[in-house]
Each structure stands twice: as C-alpha cells, then as structure tokens.
Amino acid sequence: MSSNAKIVLRKKTNKEGLYPLAIRITKNRRSTYQYIGHYIELEDWDEKNIRVKKSNSNSENLNSLLSQKLSEANKALITLQSEKKDASANQIKKEIYSSANSSTFFELAQEHLDELESAEKLNRLSTDKAWVSFIIKFNKSKQLSFQEIDERFLKKLMLDLKVKYSLSETSIMNILVLIRLLFNRAIKLKIVSRELYPFGSDKIRIRFPETTKIGLNILEIQRIENLKNLSPSETHTRNVWLYSFNFAGMRVTDVLWTKWSDIYDNRLHYRMNKNSKLLSLKIPEKIVQILEFYKDGKRSEQDFVFPELKKANLEDAKDIYNKRKTATKKFNDNLKSIAKKAEINKKITMHIARHSFGNIAGDAIHPLMLQKLYRHSDLKTTLNYQANFIHKDADKALDSVINF
C-alpha cells in the first residue's frame, strides 16, 4: 500500500484547551504525526475542507503554512516511495524530517521566530527576537550547538547579561525560558540527548523574582472618574482605561479591537487576543456612558468603537501591531499626567487596570470566579493578581498577637 500525508487536527488538547494541527503520515494503515506547532479551537476547524475556518483570526496564515508543510511532505514522500518502498510510517517520518537532526540552536531559534511571524504573534516575536540577539552577542557567533549549552555556558550567560548588559533578573529568566523551550524542541527532534538537558532542580533553575504591581483602590479610581481638568487626549485615555477596568481588566489589545457588532443583548461578546478564548460580559452602566461618548464616530456595525484602529490596514498584521503599540505608549504617557492631576502616587499604566480589578476584588470574589473573568488557564496566574491585596486573614492574625 502506498504512503500518504494529510493535514489533521489532533484531538488531544494542550493546557489552554486548544487542539494541535499536524501532518499525518500513513503507511499500511499505520500512522505517525508531525506537529506543525500551532493550536486552534475545535470550532475553528473545517473537517470537510481540511482547513482552518475564517472564524480564527489567523486562518489565512495558518492555511498557507499548512499547504506549505503538506506540499513539502508530499514531495519528500514521492522521492522516498521510489527509494524505500518497504519503509514504515515512522521511518518515512524520520527520513522526511531528518534534516532537523543537525540543526543548531540559532537555526531552531529562527524557526521559532518564523512561526511567531506566521501566526502574527508580533508582540511575542518582538520580545523573543530581542532575547535571541542577546544570546548572539554573548556567543559572538551564530554557530552554537545544543551540546554546547550546558550549565557552565548558562551561568556565564546569566552573569554577562547582568554585568555587561545590565538586564533585570526578570529579563534574564525570560531568556532562559526561551532557551529551555528550544532545548525541549531539540530533544523532541532528537537533535540533542535528554541526558544533556541543563535545566532542573539540581542544575539551572529558572526562578522569577517576586514582583509587585499595585492596583488602585476604589477611592483612587473615583478620583480619576471625577477629574474635570483633562485635555481631550487625556479624556480619551481615561475612557479607555475605565473601559478596561469595568470589563474586569480587559487587555488593551482587546479594548482597541472592540467593534460595535460585538455589543448586543446588553452584553459584550469577544474573543481574547492572547489565547483566543471566547468571553461574554454584561455591559455595566459606566460602560454605557463611555460608549455614548463614541457613538458619533460610528460608521457601521463593523466599525471599531475606539479610533486607534479605524485607519489600520486590517490585512497587514504589522500595521495593526504598530498602531496598537503606539496607542499603548500614548495611553501610558497620558496616565502619568492623569495620576498627577488626581494626586495618585502609584504608577498607573493600561495593565494596572487589570491589577486594580484584582485589588478591589480582593477576597470579595472567589479566586475561581476571578479566574473565569480573566480566562486564565492556570489558577496560579489569577492568584498573582490577588496576592498583594488579600490581607484580611494576615491582619487578623497579627492583631490577635499584638493587641494585648
């Protein structure tokens, strides 16, 4: 029986509940899979036409990538079928993808960056590209095998990043996370032996320093709401910030992507940009007032509520990314002056709206409900938003000892 390759959606989900795309290689009714490295929701897969539906924001790029991968696999199969007629599915897979077995660290890093660009994850692309450049500077060459990345190499890298480039502990840990991700990929591809894995409790440990992002309290938010002496730009920034806060700390990317068509039945229905999860929230009265402010600029139901993306080329992911990045910087600059006018000494950014919601939620909202509102896959992530604010039990314990 001849061998064949086909694009499939595997039914085993990752931690986020998304399904992996893969190339299935079959020979004599036995199959093996080569994963593409991208995940989607089940409802975004068109089983009949074997493609990603348009409901997925990255459908065009993903379908293009899938066609490319399938074409590469089929070309390799044609060659192999004439040379190794009795090869098993696993042997065929090994032959097709064996070129990866000699890949260097930076070759695999480039594949990772290319995947991020194809998936239009431009924020992550920008960050990881910067991390890779630091590793190149340290290594002074793009020739680096995974076998060379041992504990000694990583310790010297960490010291160099801290002393020579003055990177923060958090940035250094993020670089190690990227190296670990690529090292794990190299192990799966059999580029390097698992025995050489340099990370673990008895080797290099990745420990992020504790960070404190203090959210605003109710009185501080009320001061911002009641400010009168704001410029038009500051007023717009306040509206966007309060929109984010009142929708449970909605991320600024999702705020700017809000369209009038997302608002119906007195609810906001949207898909989170970060993890593609669907969310539906009741529209609070304070949000109704903000929406009224922008109704005069409404051109159609498909128009954006806020102006930042109205002139963006929606076919160009980089243009969208740049406009969002520029807008966020402008918002954060305006929030500095808003904080000063409101006599608030805390640092306020767009992301602090999210921490402020967690601050005020405190122990009034169960962490599991806050997790649901935030759509976090891991409860630990949610607890980080409340960790700095749940003081009641600790305060009571302290008082029980010292109040005598």
Side-chain angles (χ1 to χ4, degrees):
M1 182 182 291
S2 63
S3 53
N4 64 79
K6 182 182 179 181
I7 300 167
V8 296
L9 186 72
R10 298 286 280 158
K11 296 304 168 64
K12 186 176 181 180
T13 62
N14 64 3
K15 291 181 180 179
E16 286 73 40
L18 300 176
Y19 295 79
L21 291 160
I23 299 292
R24 184 181 70 197
I25 300 169
T26 304
K27 175 71 179 290
N28 296 334
R29 297 182 181 178
R30 292 184 178 274
S31 298
T32 186
Y33 299 86
Q34 177 69 19
Y35 290 90
I36 303 299
H38 294 280
Y39 296 77
I40 63 173
E41 291 192 0
L42 186 60
E43 65 193 51
D44 287 340
W45 180 244
D46 185 344
E47 186 69 38
K48 182 179 178 181
N49 295 305
I50 315 176
R51 59 188 289 108
V52 180
K53 294 180 181 178
K54 290 183 179 180
S55 54
N56 184 291
S57 58
N58 293 318
S59 61
E60 187 174 342
N61 287 313
L62 284 174
N63 286 325
S64 176
L65 178 64
L66 289 172
S67 296
Q68 176 189 334
K69 294 293 184 183
L70 182 61
S71 176
E72 290 171 356
N74 280 323
K75 285 179 182 178
L77 280 173
I78 292 171
T79 302
L80 289 170
Q81 283 173 354
S82 62
E83 297 174 354
K84 297 189 176 182
K85 296 180 180 179
D86 295 324
S88 68
N90 277 323
Q91 288 172 324
I92 292 172
K93 175 186 172 182
K94 186 176 180 181
E95 287 290 331
I96 291 175
Y97 300 104
S98 61
S99 60
N101 290 344
S102 59
S103 295
T104 67
F105 172 83
F106 290 113
E107 285 172 342
L108 232 59
Q110 189 57 54
E111 284 183 20
H112 168 69
L113 296 176
D114 290 343
E115 288 173 5
L116 292 177
E117 186 167 13
S118 295
E120 297 184 355
K121 295 181 178 180
L122 300 185
N123 196 40
R124 174 83 181 276
L125 173 64
S126 175
T127 302
D128 283 3
K129 190 179 288 186
W131 298 153
V132 170
S133 70
F134 276 112
I135 303 170
I136 293 173
K137 289 176 185 175
F138 166 75
N139 193 55
K140 297 181 176 63
S141 166
K142 282 193 174 183
Q143 295 303 313
L144 176 64
S145 69
F146 282 92
Q147 287 77 4
E148 294 176 88
I149 305 175
D150 54 13
E151 292 176 62
R152 183 170 177 269
F153 176 92
L154 292 174
K155 286 178 180 178
K156 288 178 67 177
L157 171 65
M158 292 164 67
L159 183 63
D160 198 63
L161 294 172
K162 183 176 182 179
V163 175
K164 188 174 180 179
Y165 297 103
S166 302
L167 291 192
S168 68
E169 192 68 19
T170 298
S171 294
I172 294 171
M173 290 302 108
N174 278 319
I175 290 174
L176 291 184
V177 167
L178 175 61
I179 294 174
R180 184 179 64 185
L181 181 150
L182 295 174
F183 210 105
N184 282 325
R185 182 177 293 189
I187 290 173
K188 287 184 179 180
L189 292 171
K190 301 189 184 307
I191 295 171
V192 64
S193 169
R194 183 171 291 279
E195 283 70 32
L196 297 179
Y197 192 62
F199 300 98
S201 58
D202 57 339
K203 296 181 180 180
I204 298 295
R205 299 188 68 178
I206 298 177
R207 292 177 174 173
F208 282 92
E210 290 189 10
T211 58
T212 302
K213 293 182 179 177
I214 304 298
L216 305 188
N217 58 42
I218 293 175
L219 291 176
E220 290 166 334
I221 291 174
Q222 287 176 336
R223 276 191 234 161
I224 291 175
E225 289 176 332
N226 295 327
L227 279 176
K228 302 295 184 185
N229 57 334
L230 297 180
S231 68
S233 180
E234 289 171 340
T235 299
H236 172 55
T237 296
R238 175 175 65 180
N239 286 342
V240 172
W241 194 91
L242 291 173
Y243 185 95
S244 168
F245 169 77
N246 284 290
F247 272 138
M250 190 177 185
R251 293 183 178 88
V252 63
T253 297
D254 295 321
V255 170
L256 296 182
W257 199 257
T258 305
K259 296 181 180 180
W260 291 103
S261 58
D262 298 329
I263 300 166
Y264 55 90
D265 296 335
N266 296 317
R267 301 186 71 81
L268 170 67
H269 307 262
Y270 75 100
R271 187 182 296 276
M272 297 179 76
N273 183 273
K274 186 172 183 179
N275 53 25
S276 297
K277 291 185 177 180
L278 291 169
L279 198 61
S280 175
L281 294 172
K282 169 191 173 183
I283 299 178
E285 183 57 37
K286 290 182 178 181
I287 293 290
V288 173
Q289 296 172 19
I290 292 173
L291 293 174
E292 284 292 331
F293 189 88
Y294 295 93
K295 272 195 173 177
D296 287 344
K298 179 180 176 181
R299 299 174 298 190
S300 69
E301 286 299 316
Q302 295 302 316
D303 194 16
F304 294 105
V305 171
F306 299 106
E308 280 70 23
L309 297 181
K310 286 178 182 286
K311 294 183 179 180
N313 179 359
L314 302 185
E315 301 299 320
D316 185 348
K318 288 185 179 179
D319 185 50
I320 295 171
Y321 169 75
N322 288 333
K323 282 183 168 57
R324 288 194 311 226
K325 189 175 180 180
T326 300
T328 302
K329 184 182 184 305
K330 187 174 181 180
F331 291 149
N332 288 336
D333 287 342
N334 284 336
L335 285 167
K336 291 178 184 177
S337 60
I338 289 172
K340 187 174 181 179
K341 290 179 179 180
E343 298 181 354
I344 297 172
N345 295 322
K346 298 173 183 174
K347 181 181 179 181
I348 308 178
T349 63
M350 283 304 303
H351 193 65
I352 288 298
R354 198 165 177 80
H355 284 274
S356 298
F357 188 86
N359 181 4
I360 295 171
D363 48 9
I365 294 180
H366 193 281
L368 289 175
M369 179 52 68
L370 190 60
Q371 180 190 13
K372 184 176 181 180
L373 286 170
Y374 280 169
R375 300 294 280 172
H376 286 153
S377 299
D378 191 344
L379 182 59
K380 290 180 182 178
T381 306
T382 306
L383 292 176
N384 287 336
Y385 282 84
Q386 288 187 312
N388 295 318
F389 315 118
I390 304 176
H391 305 305
K392 186 185 292 184
D393 291 342
D395 291 347
K396 283 183 178 179
L398 179 64
D399 287 341
S400 67
V401 176
I402 65 174
N403 287 344
F404 54 85

